[in-house]
Amino acid sequence: MDFDTVAGELYGGDLAEFTSARNAAAKAAKAEGNAELAKRIQQLRKPTTAAAIVNGLARDDSEQLRELAELGDELRDAHTRLAGDDLRALTRRRGELVRRILHELPSMSDTVSREVEATLEAVAADPDTAALALAGRLTSVAHQDTDQWFSLAASVPPATGQRPKKLVEKAEPAKPKRDHRREEEERARARAERERLRKEAAERDKERATAERDLVRTERAAEQAAARVEDLRERLAEAEERAERAKTEFETAKAAFDEADAAATAAREAADAAR
């Protein structure tokens, strides 16, 4: 038994049986005398439903999952180069690829679908998450700021108050002048609205991340409690077995004593009669 084999079987198995299978594997490792391996196995976390679905893509050797991870590298490179056009094109590709992957997955609830979408976006945003996903070892995804690489795509070039040269050359004198002040005010309002929505989304994401951390923490506590109960049950079974053996030994010893006592009594009586 080795850790990688056990981990592969656990994360590739039925999600509903993860905890019981993990505890059984840890117990088997402990029975083999490998306490360190048993401890490592016991510490493996049960994946969320969304993480398990993405792990399934890795086990199926999904080309789209690999493409999504590679796209994340391209996005980070484009961000480093401040290549706005590349960022916009790559952002579109990311959205299309995530939607394509979701479309090809089996039917799921809206909640799970949103969690899977967030997980896939995290694969594109974070190289560590991508590595875990490609290895099929993803357990959960804390909040990832998936827009961190795409800030240039939403930027608005400053207004110069001048029309492009070609438009000036082709402009018709009879047309009214553009109200640049009003346009600038509209752009400012649009920017303010985008900023408000961005902050609101960030707040919702923060709340979701906190809820997910609480879920993982409480789930881990429940798993530890279940493992403790299982350990106590094993100890109780061993104690009951020892008690049963002691009872049998006592009964055997008592029978031997009664037999010896009867023989001694008979011998005394015989001796008294012979006087």
Side-chain angles (χ1 to χ4, degrees):
M1 178 185 294
D2 65 87
F3 180 77
D4 286 335
T5 299
V6 172
E9 291 175 351
L10 288 174
Y11 287 108
D14 188 343
L15 181 60
E17 299 177 358
F18 181 92
T19 301
S20 59
R22 182 201 58 199
N23 293 343
K27 181 179 178 181
K30 185 177 180 181
E32 293 178 359
N34 197 334
E36 182 61 28
L37 176 59
K39 181 179 179 181
R40 291 185 67 192
I41 293 173
Q42 193 65 55
Q43 290 175 342
L44 289 174
R45 292 183 176 180
K46 179 180 178 180
T48 62
T49 301
I53 291 173
V54 175
N55 287 338
L57 293 174
R59 290 194 302 276
D60 295 337
D61 196 24
S62 169
E63 292 184 3
Q64 293 178 336
L65 185 62
R66 289 198 302 273
E67 181 182 349
L68 188 63
E70 293 169 358
L71 183 60
D73 294 334
E74 295 181 42
L75 282 163
R76 285 184 285 277
D77 176 66
H79 180 268
T80 301
R81 293 184 288 106
L82 299 179
D85 290 341
D86 289 347
L87 280 170
R88 283 184 282 273
L90 291 168
T91 300
R92 286 194 295 272
R93 276 183 55 195
R94 182 203 62 155
E96 293 169 357
L97 183 55
V98 169
R99 286 191 293 272
R100 190 159 67 247
I101 294 174
L102 287 171
H103 179 71
E104 294 179 2
L105 288 173
S107 177
M108 62 189 90
S109 68
D110 291 341
T111 299
V112 173
S113 179
R114 286 193 296 270
E115 291 177 354
V116 172
E117 182 177 5
T119 303
L120 291 172
E121 290 177 347
V123 169
D126 179 62
D128 291 336
T129 301
L132 286 172
L134 292 175
R137 302 286 178 85
L138 205 59
T139 57
S140 65
V141 178
H143 170 61
Q144 299 286 348
D145 187 4
T146 54
D147 290 330
Q148 62 180 317
W149 310 116
F150 318 131
S151 57
L152 291 182
S155 64
V156 179
T160 62
Q162 297 179 356
R163 300 175 69 183
K165 184 176 180 181
K166 290 184 178 180
L167 292 180
V168 172
E169 292 175 349
K170 295 180 180 180
E172 298 179 3
K175 289 185 177 180
K177 293 182 179 180
R178 293 170 60 181
D179 190 340
H180 296 294
R181 181 176 179 181
R182 175 175 295 181
E183 291 176 357
E184 179 59 29
E185 290 175 351
E186 291 176 353
R187 282 194 291 268
R189 283 195 294 272
R191 285 195 296 269
E193 179 63 12
R194 283 198 299 272
E195 180 64 15
R196 185 189 68 79
L197 292 174
R198 186 192 67 78
K199 289 181 178 180
E200 182 177 343
E203 187 63 28
R204 299 291 84 75
D205 287 341
K206 185 183 296 184
E207 292 173 357
R208 181 184 181 278
T210 299
E212 182 175 8
R213 284 194 295 271
D214 290 343
L215 173 63
V216 172
R217 176 178 55 78
T218 54
E219 182 180 43
R220 181 60 177 165
E223 291 174 356
Q224 290 175 339
R228 178 62 176 163
V229 169
E230 182 65 24
D231 182 57
L232 291 174
R233 284 174 177 168
E234 291 177 3
R235 293 185 183 184
L236 176 61
E238 292 174 357
E240 289 176 341
E241 184 178 348
R242 288 196 299 271
E244 188 63 29
R245 285 199 303 268
K247 179 180 179 182
T248 301
E249 292 172 357
F250 170 76
E251 291 175 349
T252 300
K254 185 175 184 303
F257 170 79
D258 290 343
E259 182 178 349
D261 183 59
T265 298
R268 284 195 303 272
E269 291 175 351
D272 290 342
R275 291 178 182 176

Coordinates of all heavy atoms in Angstrom, one line a residue, residues 17 24 36 41 48 57 93-94 106 114 117 130 160 183 196 203 218 222 226 233-234 242 258 260:
E17 N -18.9 7.6 -0.9 CA -18.2 6.6 -0.1 C -16.8 7.1 0.3 O -16.1 6.3 0.8 CB -18.2 5.3 -0.9 CG -19.5 4.7 -1.2 CD -19.5 3.5 -2.0 OE1 -18.3 3.1 -2.4 OE2 -20.5 2.9 -2.3
A24 N -11.3 3.3 6.0 CA -10.9 1.9 5.9 C -9.5 1.7 5.4 O -8.8 0.9 5.9 CB -11.9 1.2 4.9
E36 N 2.4 6.2 10.1 CA 2.6 7.5 9.3 C 1.7 7.5 8.1 O 1.1 8.5 7.8 CB 4.1 7.6 9.0 CG 4.4 9.0 8.3 CD 4.1 10.2 9.1 OE1 4.1 10.1 10.3 OE2 3.8 11.3 8.5
I41 N -3.2 9.3 5.2 CA -4.5 9.0 4.5 C -5.7 9.6 5.3 O -6.6 10.1 4.7 CB -4.6 7.4 4.5 CG1 -3.6 6.8 3.5 CG2 -6.0 7.0 4.0 CD1 -3.5 5.3 3.6
T48 N -15.4 18.7 -2.5 CA -16.7 19.2 -2.7 C -17.3 18.6 -4.0 O -16.5 18.0 -4.8 CB -16.7 20.8 -2.9 OG1 -15.9 21.1 -4.0 CG2 -16.1 21.4 -1.6
L57 N -13.1 15.3 -14.8 CA -12.6 15.7 -16.1 C -11.1 15.3 -16.3 O -10.7 14.8 -17.4 CB -12.7 17.2 -16.2 CG -14.2 17.8 -16.3 CD1 -14.1 19.3 -16.3 CD2 -14.9 17.3 -17.6
R93 N -12.0 33.8 -25.0 CA -11.8 32.4 -25.1 C -12.0 31.6 -23.8 O -12.6 30.5 -23.8 CB -10.3 32.1 -25.5 CG -10.0 32.3 -27.0 CD -8.6 31.9 -27.3 NE -8.2 30.6 -26.8 CZ -7.0 30.2 -26.6 NH1 -6.0 31.1 -26.9 NH2 -6.7 29.0 -26.2
R94 N -11.6 32.2 -22.7 CA -11.9 31.6 -21.4 C -13.4 31.4 -21.2 O -13.8 30.3 -20.8 CB -11.3 32.5 -20.3 CG -11.5 31.8 -18.9 CD -11.4 32.9 -17.8 NE -12.4 33.9 -18.0 CZ -12.9 34.6 -17.0 NH1 -12.5 34.5 -15.8 NH2 -13.9 35.5 -17.2
P106 N -22.9 16.3 -17.4 CA -24.2 15.9 -17.2 C -25.0 17.0 -16.5 O -24.5 17.9 -15.9 CB -24.0 14.7 -16.2 CG -22.6 14.2 -16.5 CD -21.8 15.5 -16.8
R114 N -23.0 26.6 -10.8 CA -22.3 27.8 -10.5 C -20.9 27.5 -9.8 O -19.9 28.1 -10.1 CB -23.1 28.7 -9.6 CG -24.3 29.4 -10.4 CD -24.8 30.6 -9.5 NE -25.5 30.1 -8.3 CZ -26.8 29.7 -8.2 NH1 -27.5 29.8 -9.3 NH2 -27.3 29.3 -7.1
E117 N -18.6 26.2 -12.4 CA -18.1 27.3 -13.2 C -17.0 28.1 -12.4 O -16.0 28.5 -13.0 CB -19.3 28.2 -13.5 CG -18.9 29.4 -14.4 CD -20.1 30.3 -14.8 OE1 -21.2 30.0 -14.3 OE2 -19.9 31.2 -15.6
A130 N -4.8 24.9 -10.9 CA -4.8 24.1 -12.2 C -4.0 22.8 -12.0 O -4.4 21.8 -12.5 CB -4.1 25.0 -13.2
T160 N -10.3 62.4 -25.6 CA -9.4 63.5 -26.0 C -10.2 64.7 -26.5 O -9.6 65.8 -26.7 CB -8.5 63.0 -27.2 OG1 -9.3 62.7 -28.3 CG2 -7.7 61.8 -26.7
E183 N -21.0 63.0 -23.1 CA -20.5 61.7 -23.3 C -19.5 61.3 -22.2 O -19.5 60.2 -21.7 CB -19.7 61.6 -24.7 CG -20.6 61.7 -25.9 CD -19.8 61.7 -27.2 OE1 -18.6 61.7 -27.1 OE2 -20.5 61.7 -28.2
R196 N -19.4 49.9 -8.8 CA -20.3 49.5 -7.7 C -20.7 48.0 -7.9 O -20.7 47.3 -6.9 CB -21.6 50.3 -7.8 CG -22.6 50.0 -6.7 CD -24.0 50.7 -7.0 NE -24.7 50.1 -8.2 CZ -25.3 49.0 -8.1 NH1 -25.4 48.3 -7.0 NH2 -26.0 48.5 -9.2
E203 N -17.9 41.5 -2.7 CA -18.5 41.2 -1.4 C -19.2 39.9 -1.3 O -19.1 39.1 -0.4 CB -19.5 42.3 -1.0 CG -20.0 42.3 0.4 CD -18.9 42.4 1.5 OE1 -17.8 43.0 1.2 OE2 -19.0 41.8 2.6
T218 N -16.2 22.5 9.1 CA -17.2 21.7 9.9 C -17.2 20.3 9.3 O -17.4 19.3 10.1 CB -18.6 22.3 9.8 OG1 -18.9 22.6 8.4 CG2 -18.6 23.7 10.5
A222 N -16.5 17.0 11.5 CA -17.4 15.9 11.5 C -16.7 14.6 11.1 O -16.9 13.5 11.7 CB -18.6 16.1 10.5
A226 N -16.2 11.3 13.5 CA -16.6 10.0 13.0 C -15.5 9.0 13.2 O -15.7 7.9 13.6 CB -17.1 10.0 11.6
R233 N -15.3 2.5 19.0 CA -16.0 1.3 18.7 C -15.0 0.1 18.7 O -15.3 -1.0 19.2 CB -16.8 1.4 17.5 CG -18.1 2.2 17.6 CD -18.7 2.4 16.3 NE -20.0 3.2 16.4 CZ -20.7 3.7 15.4 NH1 -20.2 3.5 14.1 NH2 -21.8 4.3 15.6
E234 N -13.9 0.3 18.0 CA -12.9 -0.8 17.9 C -12.4 -1.1 19.3 O -12.2 -2.3 19.6 CB -11.8 -0.3 17.0 CG -12.2 -0.2 15.5 CD -11.0 0.3 14.6 OE1 -9.9 0.5 15.2 OE2 -11.2 0.5 13.4
R242 N -11.9 -9.2 25.3 CA -11.0 -9.6 26.4 C -11.9 -10.0 27.6 O -11.5 -11.0 28.3 CB -10.1 -8.4 26.8 CG -9.0 -8.1 25.8 CD -8.0 -7.2 26.4 NE -8.5 -5.9 26.8 CZ -8.6 -4.8 26.0 NH1 -8.1 -4.9 24.7 NH2 -9.1 -3.7 26.4
D258 N -13.5 -26.3 42.0 CA -14.6 -27.1 42.6 C -14.2 -28.6 42.6 O -14.5 -29.3 43.6 CB -15.9 -26.9 41.8 CG -16.4 -25.5 42.0 OD1 -16.0 -24.8 43.0 OD2 -17.3 -25.0 41.2
A260 N -11.2 -29.9 42.6 CA -10.1 -30.2 43.5 C -10.6 -30.1 44.9 O -10.2 -30.9 45.8 CB -9.0 -29.1 43.3

